Amino acid sequence: MEFNEKLQQLRKKNNLTQEQLAEQLFVSRTAVSKWESGKGYPNIESLKSISKLFSVSIDDLLSGDELISLAECENRSNIKKVYGLMGGIIDVMAAAFIFLPLYGKPEGGHIYHVNLLSFTDTTKINLWIYWGIFCFLIVLGIMRLILTHYDKEAWLSRVTNGSVALSAAAICCFAAAREPYVTVLMFLFFIWKITLLYYIMNRKQHQVKTS
């Protein structure tokens, strides 16, 4: 008997609806429905809760192959979360571009470097663009951290693509404005993002091939 059949049998034996079981496990009814239809497995913590609730061992709930599949799924999920958190942190770190002295300011035949708060040697439009880029990147970073925490994969993918596109546009913008320090640092951040995205895509392809 497969896990989904065992769970359904245990639930009915204890006169519980899917909604009541979900409440006791602190998960959504959709999650319970997904488990019982054989479309997924609970995570380790939920599995422990099920084991405790019905007074059965985890070995009784899952076969050896199912345990291996669950462990692999949990490992992929954890790695994906780490990558998502790292990507979000990179975007939030765009705040550094506001406070670091990266912007050239000619004065008395010399060029001094100041932070964005003190930078006035450009047009107001350019300043608005600079501030807009960094503020938007920070917001995207916060969104990525939140979406990663709540495991909203579809929205996370859109926000990640938006972050990469904005970073590419920012590099072109600062290169055209002849701000070398900002351009180089932004390019390094961009490479970091692309590397993370590459590993995430590779893992997704590997998951599809092995499933």
Side-chain angles (χ1 to χ4, degrees):
M1 190 182 295
E2 298 294 326
F3 169 77
N4 61 310
E5 296 171 319
K6 292 176 184 176
L7 180 62
Q8 194 174 57
Q9 188 180 73
L10 286 167
R11 176 178 62 77
K12 290 180 178 178
K13 185 179 178 181
N14 287 269
N15 298 315
L16 293 171
T17 65
Q18 286 188 344
E19 190 168 348
Q20 289 170 332
L21 177 58
E23 287 176 0
Q24 295 201 39
L25 297 176
F26 301 102
V27 298
S28 67
R29 192 199 65 79
T30 306
V32 174
S33 176
K34 181 180 176 182
W35 301 339
E36 290 193 354
S37 61
K39 294 179 181 177
Y41 293 100
N43 59 30
I44 298 298
E45 291 305 314
S46 293
L47 195 60
K48 288 178 181 177
S49 297
I50 294 169
S51 172
K52 185 177 180 180
L53 177 64
F54 295 124
S55 300
V56 294
S57 69
I58 292 176
D59 288 338
D60 288 335
L61 288 171
L62 293 171
S63 66
D65 289 340
E66 286 175 323
L67 278 170
I68 292 171
S69 177
L70 176 61
E72 289 176 347
C73 182
E74 191 90 354
N75 184 48
R76 283 195 296 266
S77 177
N78 289 336
I79 290 173
K80 194 185 298 181
K81 280 193 173 182
V82 170
Y83 285 154
L85 290 172
M86 287 176 67
I89 290 168
I90 292 171
D91 280 339
V92 172
M93 285 172 62
F97 288 90
I98 296 172
F99 300 103
L100 290 176
L102 301 171
Y103 307 87
K105 182 178 181 180
E107 190 175 310
H110 298 281
I111 296 179
Y112 298 93
H113 286 87
V114 297
N115 60 34
L116 191 58
L117 297 168
S118 306
F119 186 54
T120 56
D121 289 274
T122 187
T123 64
K124 285 186 177 181
I125 293 175
N126 281 348
L127 280 176
W128 277 105
I129 292 172
Y130 296 172
W131 278 98
I133 287 171
F134 299 134
C135 289
F136 200 36
L137 279 173
I138 293 168
V139 170
L140 288 176
I142 294 170
M143 288 176 65
R144 290 176 76 178
L145 293 174
I146 293 171
L147 292 169
T148 298
H149 177 74
Y150 288 104
D151 203 19
K152 302 293 184 181
E153 191 171 342
W155 278 101
L156 181 60
S157 178
R158 295 188 187 100
V159 173
T160 299
N161 291 337
S163 170
V164 171
L166 181 58
S167 295
I171 292 169
C172 297
C173 173
F174 288 113
R178 296 182 180 179
E179 294 292 347
Y181 294 113
V182 185
T183 304
V184 170
L185 275 179
M186 187 62 73
F187 182 74
L188 292 175
F189 272 54
F190 180 74
I191 293 298
W192 196 359
K193 286 182 187 181
I194 291 296
T195 302
L196 286 175
L197 194 61
Y198 171 78
Y199 279 114
I200 291 171
M201 294 303 294
N202 264 11
R203 286 199 166 272
K204 281 184 179 178
Q205 289 176 0
H206 176 73
Q207 184 175 352
V208 169
K209 287 178 182 177
T210 55
S211 59

